[in-house]
Amino acid sequence: GKWKNKERVLIFSSRGINFRTRHLMQDLRTLMPHSKADTKMDRKDQLFVINEVCEMKNCNKCIFFEAKKKQDLYMWLSNTPQGPSAKFLVQNVHTLAELKMTGNCLRGSRPLLSFDPTFDKEPHYALLKELFIQIFSTPQYHPKSQPFVDHVFTFTVTDERIWFRNYQIIEEDASLVEIGPRFVLNLIKIFQGSFGGPTLYENPHYRSPNMHRRLLRLSVAAKFREKQQVKEVQKIKKKGSKVLMEEDPTEVVFETPAEEKPVEIQLVKPESKPIVKDKKKPRKIQRKKQKKLFRTET
Amino acid sequence: QRGLKRCLSEFKRQLAWVERLDVTAGRAADPDSQSAPSKGDVDPENDFQREMSFYRQAQAAVLEALPRLRKLQIPTRRPDDYFAEMAKSDQQMQKIRQKLKSKQEAMERSEKAKQLRAMRKYGKKVQTEILQRRQKEKKNMLNAVKKYQKGLSDKLDFLDEEQASSQGNKKGSANQRIKKGPNAKRRYKNQKFGFGGKKKGSKWNTKESCNDVSSFRSKVAHNKGKAGKGGKKALNKRPGKRTRQKMKNRAR
């Protein structure tokens, strides 16, 4: 057949990405035969430069990975000449090379795309769905594609995020094995233009990673400060003057002083008492070393 | 929101389904009635549940799409003689296979070790039981001998095997039942403590034992054996305890 659907996707990144992102990019290029690669873009250039790069490469879609602070990874999906674009925060990246992903597929085979019913419910999800379809589906009769359909991409909306999985179809009864890669997309904003333009949608549930880290630090600091405050309060309590009870006038009423005995001075030593063995008391076991204190004077 | 919809309508391209191959899936058949049909019940924190929900969604999509593809005559199964480049290299697949195999082997090894430990315990139990049984038999034999010596039973059946003797006893007692005889209490004590008499001292230097030369072998005494000193035990040297155990383990 003839290749009519001329879709080309440019996949590239900015500088400062780590190994996982690089592998993810390579995996996407392997899985999508209608993709093209490009060199790393300098951070100094502004984003609309990307549109020109795309035009030079004759691509009409773009996936751009942006890494900030060597920690956060952002992904832009865009329809380059004038179409909408979306920015996502990427989390939980697992690549093709991980040993737990045991499936395999033909290089360049066309994928089946599976979407969650949630994608039809909200307009912004519908727009994203259309974007995903146009970017990720391999055109029919593309020269580098294989005619078989042997793997499926799933896009699911859970926990306000979009989860991506790739499964290999083994049997006709739909037994699947995961091929990889996997990632989670957290939508930030959708723009009307490509890499710019008015904001069509802003995700209210999105919290930037900076904010997230800041909140964590604040909570830890808050705990510490609370402990200190509690300590201060305790110190003040201890130091504070203790309130003495008032004198109770009725207290004196019951006081009766004891009788005074006459003082006796003993001049003669008293007689020693006779020792009577109390047989009812339990006898202590005599230790050998105990001194014999009592010697009956006979 | 209206802007979104307008944008979508501008952006959307009407492609044939064949080009897009997208499926918006419902749920696949849930064998587990616990997982509710609504999406909100899937706890994203519960990894297993979440992954299972993704898996099921993919399955549903596949089940829906495969018939459509077949109608459009797009092949889904790769014929066995079709060799093409795969997304993961063969080397990678080898690594994966090795990892799986090693995991399985480790599990098997631990299983075997557990079984061996259990077997050893069982073996020890069996051994003690056998030893106890032998001792009991010996005791019974001695008692029977003593009984005969004391003249209580004039049959020498105990020299035959136990089964024969027990059967013989039964037959004998059917004919001449000695209802009297020692008391029940006496009988119980006899059974428990035996018939008395000196147990040890059975290997004294008596006249008979001294004159007994049956254990004299002239060839051994005059050193005219078959192999001589050199190759005596080399032929069938029994390996040591540890070696024997190792051989036993390997054979399992």
Side-chain angles (χ1 to χ4, degrees), chain B residues 50 69 72 80 118 132 145 159 171 179 191 205 213 225 227 240 242:
Chain B
R50 195 186 59 212
L69 286 172
L72 295 165
D80 290 328
Q132 278 181 358
V145 169
L159 287 177
K171 284 182 191 165
K179 273 190 182 171
Q191 187 215 1
N205 273 336
V213 279
R242 189 78 187 110

Side-chain angles (χ1 to χ4, degrees), chain A residues 24 34 47 63 77 79 192 214 231 249 251:
Chain A
L24 177 65
H34 56 291
L47 287 173
I63 303 182
L77 289 181
N79 177 23
Q192 192 180 12
R214 182 163 175 266
K231 271 195 202 166
E251 218 179 26

Side-chain angles (χ1 to χ4, degrees), chain A residues 5 7 79 97 99 101 103-105 107 110 113-115 117 129 140 146 156-157 165 172 174 176, chain B residues 11 13 18-19 21-25 39 51 54-55 57 59 70 75 77 82 85 87-88 92 96 99:
Chain A
N5 180 14
E7 285 282 347
N79 177 23
L99 288 174
M101 317 276 196
N104 201 352
C105 67
R107 184 176 262 206
R110 299 181 61 209
L113 301 170
S114 155
F115 290 96
K129 176 177 165 181
Q140 208 182 13
Q146 303 280 356
T156 323
V157 177
R165 296 280 182 276
E172 301 284 301
L176 307 168
Chain B
F11 172 58
R13 291 167 59 186
V18 187
E19 286 291 337
L21 290 181
D22 74 312
V23 180
T24 304
K39 197 55 197 312
E51 297 297 325
F54 297 159
Y55 188 84
Q57 183 193 328
Q59 274 189 325
R70 243 174 264 139
R77 268 185 65 246
Y82 189 98
E85 199 181 350
K88 293 191 199 174
Q92 179 72 14
I96 294 174
K99 186 121 194 280

Side-chain angles (χ1 to χ4, degrees), chain A residues 84 105 163 224 234:
Chain A
C105 67
W163 302 69
F224 182 67
Q234 280 186 343

Side-chain angles (χ1 to χ4, degrees), chain B:
Chain B
Q1 217 180 27
R2 262 175 286 122
L4 275 173
K5 291 198 179 133
R6 199 167 23 96
C7 186
L8 175 60
S9 58
E10 282 175 11
F11 172 58
K12 199 163 185 160
R13 291 167 59 186
Q14 298 303 331
L15 291 169
W17 184 79
V18 187
E19 286 291 337
R20 291 178 297 136
L21 290 181
D22 74 312
V23 180
T24 304
R27 303 270 96 183
D30 288 343
D32 190 7
S33 63
Q34 204 184 26
S35 51
S38 70
K39 197 55 197 312
D41 284 349
V42 173
D43 176 23
E45 301 292 325
N46 183 351
D47 288 340
F48 183 67
Q49 219 183 13
R50 195 186 59 212
E51 297 297 325
M52 281 314 289
S53 79
F54 297 159
Y55 188 84
R56 264 182 259 121
Q57 183 193 328
Q59 274 189 325
V62 168
L63 287 171
E64 215 182 292
L66 280 182
R68 285 172 82 174
L69 286 172
R70 243 174 264 139
K71 255 193 277 173
L72 295 165
Q73 286 164 352
I74 293 178
T76 48
R77 268 185 65 246
R78 186 165 68 104
D80 290 328
D81 54 355
Y82 189 98
F83 291 116
E85 199 181 350
M86 307 286 274
K88 293 191 199 174
S89 65
D90 282 340
Q91 209 186 35
Q92 179 72 14
M93 297 310 283
Q94 275 283 58
K95 250 199 256 180
I96 294 174
R97 237 170 272 141
Q98 284 283 35
K99 186 121 194 280
L100 283 177
K101 228 201 299 184
S102 69
K103 263 200 214 167
Q104 214 181 5
E105 272 175 10
M107 218 173 59
E108 269 176 25
R109 233 179 287 144
S110 72
E111 274 294 322
K112 252 213 266 180
K114 251 191 252 175
Q115 271 192 356
L116 226 80
R117 261 180 271 139
M119 285 278 302
R120 269 197 216 124
K121 277 196 191 166
Y122 179 69
K124 179 91 181 189
K125 219 187 344 165
V126 166
Q127 195 187 37
T128 53
E129 268 179 33
I130 288 179
L131 285 176
Q132 278 181 358
R133 199 169 4 124
R134 280 195 203 142
Q135 279 182 350
K136 231 187 269 178
E137 280 176 19
K138 181 176 173 186
K139 187 177 168 191
N140 286 342
M141 186 67 121
L142 286 176
N143 279 348
V145 169
K146 280 187 187 149
K147 260 198 208 169
Y148 176 68
Q149 284 178 344
K150 295 218 168 168
L152 277 173
S153 64
D154 48 354
K155 287 175 245 170
L156 287 170
D157 289 337
F158 60 84
L159 287 177
D160 304 331
E161 288 158 27
E162 273 86 73
Q163 292 137 353
S165 81
S166 62
Q167 277 178 7
N169 268 346
K170 281 183 189 164
K171 284 182 191 165
S173 64
N175 290 333
Q176 25 141 310
R177 225 183 235 177
I178 309 172
K179 273 190 182 171
K180 292 191 179 169
N183 222 352
K185 184 178 174 187
R186 189 67 251 159
R187 263 186 282 137
Y188 167 71
K189 289 214 173 166
N190 280 346
Q191 187 215 1
K192 191 169 181 193
F193 300 113
F195 280 98
K198 270 204 165 180
K199 289 198 178 137
K200 304 228 171 159
S202 53
K203 281 192 186 175
W204 278 350
N205 273 336
T206 55
K207 188 174 165 191
E208 290 87 6
S209 81
C210 204
N211 291 339
D212 179 20
V213 279
S214 58
S215 62
F216 175 77
R217 309 224 183 285
S218 78
K219 281 188 184 168
V220 171
H222 299 301
N223 208 0
K224 281 175 193 163
K226 14 176 183 170
K229 281 182 195 165
K232 259 190 214 165
K233 260 292 198 179
L235 292 173
N236 49 351
K237 184 173 167 62
R238 190 161 170 256
K241 179 175 177 183
R242 189 78 187 110
T243 323
R244 269 183 284 128
Q245 274 187 350
K246 271 199 252 174
M247 283 163 59
K248 196 164 73 164
N249 285 350
R250 224 172 282 146
R252 274 185 207 273

